Amino acid sequence: MKPLAARFSRVAIEEHARASLRGLLSYYFTNGIAVAIGYLLISATVGLLLGSFAGAAAAVGVVSAVPPDVAGPRKGKFRQMLPAPLIGVPLFFCVQMLHTSPVELGIFIVVATFVVFLGMAWGKKGAPVAIALMFAIIFSLAVPPPPELRRLDAALMVTGYFALGAFVYVLYACIVHRFLNPRYRVQLLADTLLSLSDLLRLQARQFTDHSPESKSEASGGLISRLLARQAALADQIQSTRDVVLETPDTLPRQRLAAMLLNVLDMRDHLIACALDLDALKQHAGHNRVLAQMHDILMLLAKDTAALADAMLLGRKPEQATDRRADLENLRWAADDDAQSEFNKALAQGSPTPDALVQSLAQRMASLSDELQRMVALARGEAQPNLAAVRTNWHLFVSPVAWSFKPFYTLWSWGAPALRHAVRAALAISTAYVISLLLPWGTHEYWIFLTIVVVLRGSLAQTLERRNLRVGGTLLGCLLALSILSMHPSYIVLVLCLTVAQAFAHGLALRNYLYTAVAATVLGLLQAHMLNSSSSAVFALAERTVDTLIGAGIAWLFSYVLPSWERSQIPNLVRRVIKSQIDHARTALDLVQLDAVDNAPELKWRLARKDAYDSLTALVLAAERSLKEPRAVRPPLQPLELLQNHAYQMLAQLTAVKTVLLMRRGSLHRDRLEAPLSEATTRIANLLSGKQSIIQTVDASEPAHPVREPTLAAGPEHVPEGWDADLMPWFLRRLEQAELLAAQMRKDADQLLKSSAG
């Protein structure tokens, strides 16, 4: 037992070391290092030239300008960074002027908090700017004006140092970001590949046999994790698109862009691997062949991760093993039970178990093919498809310009951003009153800072941040006390602050516990530099209590004017239904057969992207709802079924569209036009509710994974050319899509009915 335990321990250590190395080589940590170097250069330079107080005030300006500085596209970087100091400097100055007027200061902070938090309506683009502006307000409270100067002179001087640090950092960030852009492209794609590898491993679990006692876990917990992982991957793919598909005007960039397109195809093939799996498990003799498929998926996951690791390390990746031959040799078990199932399927005219195995193996072989193409591109042994790259890079990146459209959606009492702004303003006003009553009220900014970083738009996010913030603050206080007990010099303090800034910014979206520890060290050391006369021990005790107070206020006010996920579900469900209808119409459109360019294919890819985006929003909302009180949660079973059926629908229609694209030179339009047109109409009518679900699926039956249709279909595999087997293949896929559309409408109706009630 000891050697086995030692082996598992060694494997765990190796996995942990590998994960740590990936984190250190990732784009978010590279970004954190770049931020820290900027912090060091600006604060140290200003401190050496103008004095330690000026350096500390300039460092506060840097910290307030940092949040929008994330790995992203080169275009629009300056426009993304500029609003933080442009608006933050006046806010900082106003707080400086009101330091000695508690009532006016409190009113200003509360009103400013409300206005700033409205910026959350701009989503991922606006949230970092809103946080940066709150930092400008809060850190202005932490910077005491020099007592020997008049109020205006002191405010102008301190604000000048703050502005110097903030604006210089904006210039630094834009220059460094352009320099790091090639590295960011590689790192973002590698991170996406690692997420795809994790999804492959999780998907492989569907191929392992489950006992009756564990079926509920397999169909419940596993599917929930799969949906969450697919949604996270879709969100990550969009972030990668924004960088990798931006101006691919050199061969290395074009190769990376082509690899990203392969990732998108792998994602589709992987989702399609779940098709027919339940039908296979209903036949006897499936254990051995599905176990072999599980092993091959795990090997593909390992090869995908190896490619990502090679990219992060700047090495030439090893040639991945081609798994197609192994998959093509897979056959159904030949025991008596399996032969009986085979004969039964033939008699009923439904796909035989061996045909279903071949179909699944073909999809998995497509995964291997895409991985082979990516490795060849990474090794420089293949040339990218420039036509595909050029048609994708314009339309699949997020807009960089600021828009007034979110502003117009704010002025409804049900708008989540408006309610969040009111909630934040009320929390800050409560904290301000409490801070005035505390014996150490001169450090109230720490309570405000805790509220700003803990109070999120949803209860789930707030609870997660609350726990991590408290734990991180306690650890950070101990670390800061250890540093200050050594009475470090100014340069040593700046170096410590630089390291803390790297971890605080670089890990903010990956592991908030580390961010909380680093941010605590950063705040305490910076406060010590600004006001070194205070007692370090007492300051640490203050911060601990302030953190507990701030976290408690944020938690309590997360229940005030809540935007429960249940209220957002109807709109998200309608968006999913609409996007699925649009995707079905473009996927089954025969215009591609007559097209002389890639415009119809591009239209389909855009529709597919919108379908994935809508599902991602729904899955994330469902995840957040799990942390809410049971009384306000949406019904989880139809919600999960809707998500699962929607992903299956995408897989079915993507399989059809892929064949249309691959065989457009040999397909007979006149034979396909009627069934595809009729299926498009039926799917759209079923999803929109214009056609009764009872006509296709018995509505008296509980929501259930879609049954297998009975067709005289013959083998399920896609034939090599046009022959008699191809039309049944199309008909089977179209009937499955119609059944899924019926189930989706049924799930959606249950969700909408429960939300209305």
Side-chain angles (χ1 to χ4, degrees):
M1 292 299 291
K2 284 186 178 181
L4 184 61
R7 178 177 176 273
F8 280 118
S9 176
R10 185 167 59 254
V11 170
I13 292 173
E14 290 175 355
E15 285 294 324
H16 183 73
R18 188 178 296 112
S20 299
L21 180 60
R22 287 169 178 168
L24 293 174
L25 295 174
S26 63
Y27 69 91
Y28 49 87
F29 198 74
T30 298
N31 179 235
I33 294 295
V35 167
I37 292 174
Y39 177 93
L40 173 63
L41 292 175
I42 296 171
S43 59
T45 301
V46 175
L48 292 173
L49 294 178
L50 302 177
S52 60
F53 179 83
V60 171
V62 173
V63 173
S64 298
V66 156
D69 185 14
V70 295
R74 294 178 304 171
K75 184 179 179 182
K77 180 67 175 181
F78 183 71
R79 280 178 288 180
Q80 174 69 17
M81 294 290 299
L82 187 60
L86 202 62
I87 305 173
V89 169
L91 292 174
F92 186 92
F93 175 76
C94 290
V95 173
Q96 285 291 305
M97 288 294 295
L98 296 173
H99 256 296
T100 57
S101 305
V103 176
E104 291 86 346
L105 178 62
I107 294 173
F108 175 80
I109 291 175
V110 171
V111 173
T113 298
F114 171 76
V115 175
V116 167
F117 266 81
L118 290 177
M120 297 291 184
W122 277 260
K124 288 185 177 180
K125 190 179 180 69
V129 176
I131 296 297
L133 297 180
M134 288 305 301
F135 282 178
I137 295 171
I138 293 169
F139 288 138
S140 185
L141 293 170
V143 181
E148 67 274 8
L149 299 177
R150 293 186 306 165
R151 181 190 302 182
L152 179 60
D153 294 338
L156 287 173
M157 184 187 72
V158 176
T159 304
Y161 295 145
F162 174 88
L164 177 63
F167 282 107
V168 171
Y169 182 80
V170 168
L171 297 177
Y172 163 85
C174 292
I175 294 171
V176 171
H177 187 269
R178 181 169 290 271
F179 175 77
L180 289 175
N181 181 262
R183 181 61 181 166
Y184 283 151
R185 291 173 186 261
V186 173
Q187 290 172 318
L188 279 160
L189 182 57
D191 202 52
T192 303
L193 287 171
L194 290 173
S195 295
L196 179 62
S197 174
D198 290 341
L199 183 59
L200 277 163
R201 290 189 181 90
L202 192 60
Q203 187 95 332
R205 290 190 56 186
Q206 289 189 306
F207 287 77
T208 55
D209 193 24
H210 298 276
S211 63
E213 293 79 10
S214 62
K215 280 186 177 179
S216 60
E217 189 276 335
S219 61
L222 179 57
I223 290 177
S224 296
R225 290 194 293 276
L226 273 170
L227 293 172
R229 194 70 59 82
Q230 287 163 353
L233 178 61
D235 190 54
Q236 190 170 10
I237 284 174
Q238 185 55 53
S239 298
T240 306
R241 274 192 184 114
D242 292 340
V243 177
V244 173
L245 293 182
E246 183 190 29
T247 57
D249 49 6
T250 64
L251 183 58
R253 294 178 184 178
Q254 290 162 359
R255 283 189 173 128
L256 292 173
M259 290 175 68
L260 178 59
L261 299 183
N262 292 133
V263 170
L264 298 178
D265 291 336
M266 281 190 73
R267 189 259 309 268
D268 290 335
H269 292 312
L270 183 57
I271 292 175
C273 284
L275 299 178
D276 303 325
L277 192 56
D278 288 337
L280 278 169
K281 290 184 177 181
Q282 293 172 6
H283 295 286
H286 66 269
N287 291 347
R288 184 176 65 85
V289 70
L290 290 188
Q292 291 174 314
M293 289 183 170
H294 167 273
D295 294 342
I296 291 175
L297 275 179
M298 294 297 288
L299 290 173
L300 288 172
K302 182 179 179 181
D303 290 343
T304 303
L307 172 60
D309 289 338
M311 293 175 65
L312 289 174
L313 293 169
R315 298 174 180 170
K316 188 175 184 179
E318 297 291 333
Q319 184 65 55
T321 304
D322 189 352
R323 311 290 176 186
R324 177 172 282 277
D326 295 335
L327 288 161
E328 289 177 347
N329 292 330
L330 290 179
R331 291 294 182 270
W332 199 250
D335 56 27
D336 293 340
D337 290 337
Q339 189 62 43
S340 174
E341 294 287 348
F342 184 89
N343 296 333
K344 182 180 178 181
L346 282 179
Q348 294 178 345
S350 59
T352 65
D354 201 52
L356 294 176
V357 169
Q358 294 177 40
S359 175
L360 265 173
Q362 179 64 31
R363 295 177 209 133
M364 294 174 64
S366 297
L367 282 171
S368 180
D369 293 343
E370 296 295 340
L371 181 57
Q372 294 288 317
R373 295 187 188 102
M374 281 197 292
V375 171
L377 285 165
R379 289 170 59 88
E381 298 171 354
Q383 298 301 312
N385 184 344
L386 294 183
V389 171
R390 286 167 181 162
T391 54
N392 276 271
W393 77 270
H394 275 297
L395 296 177
F396 287 90
V397 298
S398 303
V400 297
W402 289 94
S403 169
F404 281 101
K405 186 176 180 180
F407 179 80
Y408 302 134
T409 65
L410 281 171
W411 311 113
S412 167
W413 186 239
L418 177 63
R419 297 169 76 90
H420 188 44
V422 173
R423 191 184 311 127
L426 292 173
I428 290 294
S429 62
T430 301
Y432 187 74
V433 172
I434 292 175
S435 69
L436 294 177
L437 302 176
L438 292 175
W440 54 84
T442 54
H443 300 296
E444 71 274 10
Y445 65 88
W446 199 260
I447 303 177
F448 298 160
L449 185 62
T450 300
I451 292 173
V452 167
V453 298
V454 170
L455 186 60
R456 304 283 93 184
S458 69
L459 177 63
Q461 295 168 327
T462 299
L463 292 177
E464 180 183 9
R465 284 290 183 96
R466 178 200 65 184
N467 299 337
L468 295 176
R469 177 70 180 180
V470 172
T473 298
L474 294 175
L475 294 174
C477 284
L478 294 175
L479 184 56
L481 179 60
S482 301
I483 295 172
L484 292 176
S485 65
M486 294 184 289
H487 306 288
S489 65
Y490 175 77
I491 295 298
V492 173
L493 282 173
V494 169
L495 290 174
C496 292
L497 289 168
T498 300
V499 175
Q501 179 65 71
F503 280 92
H505 183 76
L507 299 177
L509 299 178
R510 291 291 177 152
N511 193 322
Y512 188 73
L513 177 63
Y514 294 142
T515 293
V517 173
T520 300
V521 174
L522 183 68
L524 290 173
L525 297 186
Q526 202 149 33
H528 176 77
M529 292 174 66
L530 290 166
N531 192 2
S532 58
S533 61
S534 61
S535 168
V537 176
F538 185 60
L540 296 177
E542 289 179 23
R543 297 312 182 276
T544 303
V545 177
D546 289 344
T547 298
L548 293 173
I549 294 173
I553 292 174
W555 172 49
L556 290 174
F557 276 89
S558 64
Y559 292 94
V560 176
L561 299 176
S563 298
W564 300 125
E565 298 300 335
R566 185 170 189 162
S567 65
Q568 311 301 320
I569 293 297
N571 287 335
L572 294 175
V573 168
R574 295 186 187 100
R575 182 187 170 193
V576 168
I577 295 296
K578 180 181 181 302
S579 65
Q580 291 285 341
I581 293 173
D582 292 341
H583 178 258
R585 286 172 175 162
T586 55
L588 302 181
D589 193 346
L590 280 176
V591 69
Q592 179 64 41
L593 300 184
D594 303 324
V596 295
D597 56 24
N598 292 321
E601 180 184 353
L602 190 60
K603 182 180 179 183
W604 165 64
R605 289 185 180 275
L606 285 169
R608 183 184 64 173
K609 174 182 176 297
D610 185 62
Y612 276 117
D613 289 347
S614 64
L615 273 171
T616 297
L618 184 63
V619 171
L620 294 178
E623 270 193 303
R624 293 191 296 266
S625 70
L626 296 176
K627 298 291 182 67
E628 296 177 345
R630 290 184 178 274
V632 298
R633 291 181 193 172
L636 295 180
Q637 183 181 18
L639 186 58
E640 185 176 279
L641 286 173
L642 175 63
Q643 297 162 16
N644 195 26
H645 292 150
Y647 275 115
Q648 291 182 41
M649 168 81 83
L650 283 172
Q652 295 282 5
L653 297 182
T654 297
V656 173
K657 185 65 175 180
T658 301
V659 173
L660 291 176
L661 292 172
M662 293 173 58
R663 310 287 172 78
R664 61 181 177 180
S666 59
L667 295 178
H668 294 191
R669 181 189 178 100
D670 55 342
R671 298 181 63 184
L672 287 171
E673 187 168 10
L676 289 181
S677 176
E678 292 170 3
T680 301
T681 301
R682 283 196 295 268
I683 289 171
N685 288 340
L686 284 168
L687 286 172
S688 61
K690 295 179 181 178
Q691 182 173 331
S692 173
I693 297 177
I694 301 177
Q695 297 175 16
T696 306
V697 178
D698 186 357
S700 63
E701 297 179 358
H704 187 327
V706 176
R707 63 177 174 80
E708 285 294 310
T710 300
L711 293 171
E716 170 65 9
H717 72 279
V718 181
E720 291 300 322
W722 177 265
D723 56 35
D725 288 330
L726 189 54
M727 181 57 75
W729 184 91
F730 272 117
L731 293 177
R732 173 179 167 76
R733 288 290 162 228
L734 294 176
E735 182 175 347
Q736 282 281 54
E738 291 172 22
L739 290 169
L740 285 164
Q743 289 284 21
M744 283 183 63
R745 185 69 251 176
K746 184 176 180 180
D747 301 333
D749 286 340
Q750 290 185 30
L751 287 168
L752 295 174
K753 182 179 179 181
S754 64
S755 298

